[in-house]
Amino acid sequence: QMQLVESGGGSVQTGGSLILSCTSSNILGNILSNNCVGWFRQAPGKEREGVAAISTVNTGGRTYYADSVKGRFTISRDNGKNTVYLQMNALKPEDTAMYYCAALGPCNYEGSAWFVSGRYQAWGRGTQVTVSS
């Protein structure tokens, strides 16, 4: 089973930037490039929500973003490093949350179907992002 590890979280001020990374253990050839990957976040007292997602290389690496982060966050892959990134710019206090990456294998979703968390089979333990005003 794939294991995911997030890194790159931290504390920044409003307007700052962070880059989150998600890497996977290459078990039985199940490398991250063969998986659709999503970034989710959960703030205290709130439900987990999808933030960004990216399809596999074979399906063109399509991306999808929640409206709340569109234009500020960018999801990308580096297949050579078996890593998926979440570049976060213009951070706001409401972006404060634990951020998780998740993988679900090949997929072909449209719109909000990307963010049905129950579809994702492997999850990391999260990395904390705190944005102060």
Side-chain angles (χ1 to χ4, degrees):
Q1 183 177 356
M2 179 182 294
Q3 295 177 335
L4 303 179
V5 178
E6 305 94 338
S7 62
S11 297
V12 297
Q13 293 187 327
T14 298
S17 298
L18 286 171
I19 301 175
L20 305 185
S21 299
C22 173
T23 61
S24 73
S25 56
N26 185 4
I27 297 176
L28 299 179
N30 191 11
I31 59 177
L32 211 53
S33 62
N34 297 332
N35 287 265
C36 291
V37 175
W39 282 98
F40 293 78
R41 66 186 181 187
Q42 188 167 19
K46 294 187 177 181
E47 293 185 354
R48 184 164 50 190
E49 63 174 353
V51 175
I54 188 166
S55 71
T56 61
V57 173
N58 290 342
T59 56
R62 294 182 296 115
T63 57
Y64 182 75
Y65 298 94
D67 288 341
S68 59
V69 306
K70 203 171 293 183
R72 300 188 298 123
F73 289 12
T74 302
I75 188 171
S76 63
R77 292 182 177 275
D78 185 333
N79 294 323
K81 295 182 178 180
N82 202 31
T83 301
V84 172
Y85 300 99
L86 185 67
Q87 171 76 52
M88 305 187 297
N89 297 327
L91 284 162
K92 306 174 182 180
E94 50 264 43
D95 294 318
T96 295
M98 185 71 78
Y99 282 71
Y100 302 89
C101 69
L104 58 69
C107 70
N108 188 23
Y109 297 128
E110 297 290 342
S112 60
W114 281 104
F115 293 153
V116 177
S117 59
R119 290 177 169 152
Y120 288 80
Q121 300 155 354
W123 290 81
R125 294 187 175 183
T127 185
Q128 178 68 38
V129 172
T130 302
V131 185
S132 58
S133 58

